[in-house]
Amino acid sequence: MNTAANNFAKAEMMIRRPVHEVFEAFIDPGITTKFWFSKSTGKLEEGKITEWTWEMYRLTIPVLTKKIDPNKNIFIEWGEGENLSSVEWTFTALSKDKTFVRVINSGLKAIGDELFSAIRDSTEGFTLLLAGAKSWLEHQIQLNLVADKHPNGPE
């Protein structure tokens, strides 16, 4: 059964940094490239299209930033055509130096086994993203989790 209630992926994690630092890490490609994509055409800005590139995958994805609520939410649409979906990051300050981040990728358009694969792949990808962000923001260690998932990752 393919219902709107079941066509999403979710990942979440606590990061031991202040909410404004964690939020900025997902807006500013100068930081985000330390743990996710390899390059970007610019900082996320509400109403603007940005392109994110994963050079190791030879993949570039258009990203439309729909809404930014500083230190609270980022809502984007990414992809094209049948691969268009929505991603929402929610940032919750647990204390002055702890932030809980939730990522939900919704609107996945596949059905049956293809939907299960899309949910699995998205959940895996966003879990790696959050683990890499945690490592970078807490310890300034670049784990290359996203790049190393690919068999032809960086040397």
Side-chain angles (χ1 to χ4, degrees):
M1 175 154 58
N2 181 22
T3 66
N6 292 322
N7 68 344
F8 70 93
K10 178 176 79 168
E12 47 192 16
M13 187 168 298
M14 190 213 4
I15 298 176
R16 289 177 177 83
R17 299 301 302 159
V19 70
H20 69 276
E21 288 183 29
V22 177
F23 182 85
E24 188 65 21
F26 288 88
I27 295 289
D28 181 354
I31 304 168
T32 320
T33 54
K34 305 290 186 193
F35 56 84
W36 196 19
F37 47 77
S38 56
K39 68 181 186 181
S40 171
T41 58
K43 195 170 181 174
L44 292 183
E45 294 180 49
E46 200 168 294
K48 296 202 174 179
I49 294 175
T50 307
E51 288 187 342
W52 290 342
T53 299
W54 289 261
E55 293 168 308
M56 72 293 282
Y57 296 114
R58 294 184 180 100
L59 175 67
T60 297
I61 297 177
V63 176
L64 171 60
T65 304
K66 302 286 279 184
K67 183 169 177 29
I68 294 176
D69 188 4
N71 301 325
K72 294 187 178 167
N73 293 89
I74 301 167
F75 185 77
I76 66 165
E77 286 182 346
W78 70 339
E80 298 175 295
E82 287 298 310
N83 293 319
L84 182 68
S85 66
S86 299
V87 180
E88 182 175 12
W89 285 264
T90 304
F91 303 85
T92 304
L94 301 176
S95 69
K96 68 179 177 103
D97 61 352
K98 290 181 184 172
T99 303
F100 192 77
V101 182
R102 174 176 290 131
V103 184
I104 296 178
N105 183 198
S106 61
L108 302 170
K109 295 175 183 64
I111 58 172
D113 285 345
E114 289 180 10
L115 177 60
F116 293 134
S117 291
I119 291 169
R120 180 193 60 231
D121 293 347
S122 180
T123 299
E124 178 184 39
F126 283 110
T127 299
L128 291 174
L129 161 66
L130 292 177
K134 180 178 181 72
S135 173
W136 177 255
L137 293 169
E138 290 183 13
H139 307 288
Q140 290 71 55
I141 297 172
Q142 241 178 311
L143 293 177
N144 298 314
L145 296 171
V146 175
D148 288 351
K149 182 184 178 306
H150 191 276
N152 297 321
E155 315 240 349

